[in-house]
Structures are given as C-alpha cells and as structure tokens.
Amino acid sequence: MKLKSLLLRYYPPGIMLEYEKHGELKTKSIDLLDLGPSTDVSALVEEIQKAEPLLTASRTEQVKLFIQRLQEKLGQHSNHTFYLFKVLKAHILPLTNVALNKSGSCFITGSYDRTCKLWDTASGEELNTLEGHRNVVYAIAFNNPYGDKIATGSFDKTCKLWSVETGKCYHTFRGHTAEIVCLSFNPQSTLVATGSMDTTAKLWDIQNGEEVYTLRGHSAEIISLSFNTSGDRIITGSFDHTVVVWDADTGRKVNILIGHCAEISSALFNWDCSLILTGSMDKTCMLWDATNGKCVATLTGHDDEILDSCFDYTGKLIATASADGTARIFSAATRKCIAKLEGHEGEISKISFNPQGNRLLTGSSDKTARIWDAQTGQCLQVLEGHTDEIFSCAFNYKGNIVITGSKDNTCRIWC
C-alpha cells in the first residue's frame, strides 16, 4: 500500500487518505469527531500514526498542519445573517421536495407537474427540466458528494436516474407496484435505494440499471430510508411502526427495531454509524445501538407527533421537530434535553443543523423558517415572506446558503 495524497475534510472534521493498493486507487478517512480548539495536536498525531501505518514519520508535519487548520476552522463559528436573494416561481403545480447539491451551486425541485427542475443557485436560472415521469415527482436527490447525477422517484411507481450536465435520462428503474416516496444514493454512488407504498424497498445498480435486491419484511408503507456513512447498511422506516436495518451488500435483514407504537417519520444513522435515531408519530424519538439493534434511550417531552429528527455532523447533538410547534435539542451522550426551541406558531416539519453544528434551521406550517443557536436554543432569525407552509428547507455544505420550499409554489434562496 502506498499513500498518494492527504485531503482535509472540514465537516465533520477529518483527514481523507488516497492510497494505492494492488494498482487500484482507494480512499479511507480518519474521523476526528472529538477535535476541539484545545486538543493537543502533537499527542493526537502520535495516536493517529500508531493506528494508521500509511502515515509514516515523513508525513508528521503535514498531518500536524492539517489538524491545526481544522482547529482554526472549528474556531470560526458561523454567525451568518441570511438575506433573501431570490424568489423562484418554480413550477405551475405544487412543489413536493427541494434538494441542494453539496456545494450549494445548484438545486433541484420536484413537483406535481411530473417534472424535476435543476436550478443555478447564484443566478436563480433554470438549467434543465427533467421530463418523462407520468405522475407526481415526489422524492428527489443528488448523488452527493459527487453531484453529477440526480434520482427522481415518482407516484408512477418508477425511479429515474439523470445526468446533471445534460439532463439525459440514464435509466428508468421499474419494479415497484405502488408510489415511490423516498430514495437515497449510497455514499459511493454505486446504488440507489427506493422506498415505496408497496411495503418494499429496492436497491438498483447505477451502472447497468438493474435491480440488485428487493428488501421485503415490512407490513406497511416505507416512508423513510437512509444509508450509513460507510454504505454497508441501510435502514427503512415504515408505517408498521418498525425500522429495519439491512445489509446493503447482501440485501439481508440485520435487525428489526421494535419499540415505537405509531408510524415512523424519520430514521437515520449518526456519522460514525454507532447509533440510529428514529422519530415517530407516537411523540417520541428513540436511540438505538446500530450493532445489536437494542434501544438505548427514548427521548420524550413533545406533546404531539415527531415530524423530523436529525444528528449534527459529529453526532454529539440530536434535534427533534414536532407538530406541537416546538423543536428540542438533546445531547447524544447524556440523552438529556439541553434546549427547547419555541417561537413557531404551527407544526415544524423540517429540522437540520448547519455543517458547523452551531445553528439549526426549522421550517414550519406558520409560513416561516427560523435560524436558531444550537447551544442556547435562542431564535436568531426569522426568514419571512412565504405565503403558505414551508415543507422543505436546507443548508448548503458551507452553511452560508439556505433554501426554502413552500406550498405557495415558490422556492426562496437566502444567503
């Protein structure tokens, strides 16, 4: 094995190693999730080198420099104030979803008009219309971090794979017998997973367009699915109140997470793949050990259904959004609520951290999105202007652009 190059990864903090093995170029990452401004860099480098034979003594100074740069970046907390940049009347019929590519240079919108549109964020101009579905385009995604492909899932029971550059359709994945309502690329961008109202999920090969596996086992609709960071596990959340963990390489069931007593609204892994967070209509979130499938904590306090939940990039914080109009921040380590986010006048359907982990973004049926301080729970900004409920909102990778999608049929770019 021969080390070719080192790359910095800011969010979450880490170093990527590009190396050659048997003539093939491979990558691996060293995650530095606990890195802080006061970390002893020399001791950390020594520890890393003990564990990673690719990092020989000749690389010591370079690794030190990289870690110091990461420390500097962590010290620069984003205190960005957002201003409305553009209002886009995206489609004639209602929007279903909005998604950004990693850098935030472009984004996509899905709609009841059966199309997905690709937009340039900086100019607000439409770059392409992806046409071909015969019903509502509901689930949409870029193959981040690459961002050269788009997947669209439709009520016409098919998923399509498109080129970002040309707008050409590479493949149409057929096989589901009901609407596709969620989808995701694996991190390696070799597979697309689709979840359907037909109670199954399917994995599709991006290269040849073939179905790889059908994941059977749920007794009701699948409404949420996501891969872990390494791409070897996938989780599906269902209206049958359960979440299933699957082996993405074999299509086999690994664990069934049983504990919620109502429909699942969200299910996702933390960055290091050790925990799974599930949100449910039963007003709780549950934390599970990703290895053995055991519940390790139930996060309570909301008075109504949990509509969304998420980890920050490092996995230290958890945020929950509820139909009760509040959001909460929990410590993943202590499982205690550390802040309550109050101010919205309607249900909160979307919540996410910025990549730096010091801000939270919420979208609500009260027609506003809000930016919050993730430590104190204080509302820092209200993004006003939409004339109907906001169902989608997201930060870009740098955390300096926000996009909101509303039932008023517009997208707003804030930067």
Side-chain angles (χ1 to χ4, degrees), residues 31-69:
D31 293 338
L32 303 169
L33 303 183
D34 296 321
L35 183 68
S38 57
T39 304
D40 180 333
V41 176
S42 298
L44 179 59
V45 171
E46 206 175 299
E47 201 181 304
I48 291 169
Q49 284 181 312
K50 270 183 197 158
E52 182 46 74
L54 281 169
L55 294 175
T56 53
S58 64
R59 293 280 185 170
T60 304
E61 287 313 307
Q62 189 187 1
V63 174
K64 264 188 197 167
L65 193 67
F66 269 25
I67 292 173
Q68 282 160 354
R69 274 170 62 192

Side-chain angles (χ1 to χ4, degrees), residues 190-201:
T190 54
L191 298 172
V192 175
T194 52
S196 167
M197 303 298 267
D198 67 11
T199 77
T200 72

Side-chain angles (χ1 to χ4, degrees), residues 331-345:
S331 157
T334 66
R335 288 94 195 232
K336 298 269 189 295
C337 178
I338 53 176
K340 197 172 171 184
L341 281 44
E342 295 176 299
H344 277 298
E345 289 165 20

Side-chain angles (χ1 to χ4, degrees), residues 391-405:
F391 59 81
S392 184
C393 54
F395 283 106
N396 68 333
Y397 182 67
K398 283 185 184 163
N400 61 354
I401 298 170
V402 161
I403 196 140
T404 52

Side-chain angles (χ1 to χ4, degrees), residues 82-375:
F82 291 90
Y83 297 95
L84 180 64
F85 171 62
K86 277 236 171 0
V87 181
L88 302 179
K89 186 87 171 87
H91 297 262
I92 310 158
L93 292 174
L95 292 165
T96 54
N97 267 308
V98 177
L100 281 156
N101 68 348
K102 184 176 165 178
S103 69
S105 63
C106 58
F107 67 95
I108 46 179
T109 52
S111 169
Y112 274 81
D113 70 8
R114 307 178 177 194
T115 71
C116 173
K117 291 189 180 203
L118 175 67
W119 306 83
D120 179 75
T121 311
S123 66
E125 280 178 32
E126 187 184 314
L127 298 173
N128 238 320
T129 299
L130 310 180
E131 292 177 290
H133 281 295
R134 296 179 173 188
N135 207 329
V136 176
V137 173
Y138 191 75
I140 55 176
F142 281 99
N143 64 332
N144 291 336
Y146 308 100
D148 62 332
K149 293 183 183 74
I150 292 163
T152 54
S154 168
F155 287 1
D156 69 8
K157 309 171 192 172
T158 72
C159 171
K160 288 179 183 283
L161 184 72
W162 312 81
S163 159
V164 168
E165 200 182 342
T166 64
K168 175 181 160 248
C169 179
Y170 291 122
H171 300 296
T172 300
F173 303 127
R174 300 173 200 279
H176 281 296
T177 56
E179 297 91 333
I180 292 173
V181 291
C182 51
L183 56 77
S184 177
F185 285 93
N186 67 341
Q188 295 78 13
S189 192
T190 54
L191 298 172
V192 175
T194 52
S196 167
M197 303 298 267
D198 67 11
T199 77
T200 72
K202 288 178 185 284
L203 299 182
W204 312 86
D205 186 302
I206 282 175
Q207 281 314 109
N208 63 24
E210 301 291 317
E211 181 182 315
V212 186
Y213 297 115
T214 296
L215 310 181
R216 295 178 206 279
H218 283 293
S219 58
E221 298 90 333
I222 290 174
I223 48 84
S224 159
L225 57 77
S226 54
F227 284 93
N228 66 353
T229 318
S230 48
D232 62 344
R233 294 282 183 271
I234 181 169
I235 43 179
T236 52
S238 168
F239 279 175
D240 67 10
H241 310 179
T242 72
V243 172
V244 178
V245 184
W246 311 82
D247 184 319
D249 300 322
T250 63
R252 292 202 180 117
K253 236 185 248 186
V254 180
N255 282 309
I256 305 177
L257 313 184
I258 299 171
H260 283 295
C261 50
E263 292 91 335
I264 304 295
S265 55
S266 63
L268 67 172
F269 287 91
N270 65 346
W271 179 270
D272 71 10
C273 312
S274 62
L275 292 172
I276 293 167
L277 174 66
T278 57
S280 167
M281 301 296 181
D282 67 10
K283 308 179 192 176
T284 73
C285 274
M286 293 178 110
L287 263 182
W288 311 77
D289 181 308
T291 314
N292 62 25
K294 299 265 190 297
C295 177
V296 293
T298 302
L299 311 179
T300 59
H302 283 292
D303 302 326
D304 208 337
E305 301 169 344
I306 305 275
L307 301 179
D308 198 18
S309 59
C310 62
F311 286 102
D312 69 344
Y313 257 134
T314 60
K316 291 187 173 76
L317 297 175
I318 291 165
T320 58
S322 170
D324 66 14
T326 72
R328 286 169 185 256
I329 303 167
F330 294 84
S331 157
T334 66
R335 288 94 195 232
K336 298 269 189 295
C337 178
I338 53 176
K340 197 172 171 184
L341 281 44
E342 295 176 299
H344 277 298
E345 289 165 20
E347 61 180 38
I348 303 171
S349 61
K350 274 280 179 287
I351 191 160
S352 58
F353 285 92
N354 67 346
Q356 295 85 351
N358 68 324
R359 297 284 179 265
L360 268 164
L361 170 66
T362 53
S364 167
S365 64
D366 70 7
K367 309 173 192 174
T368 72
R370 288 175 181 244
I371 309 279
W372 311 79
D373 184 305
Q375 293 305 316

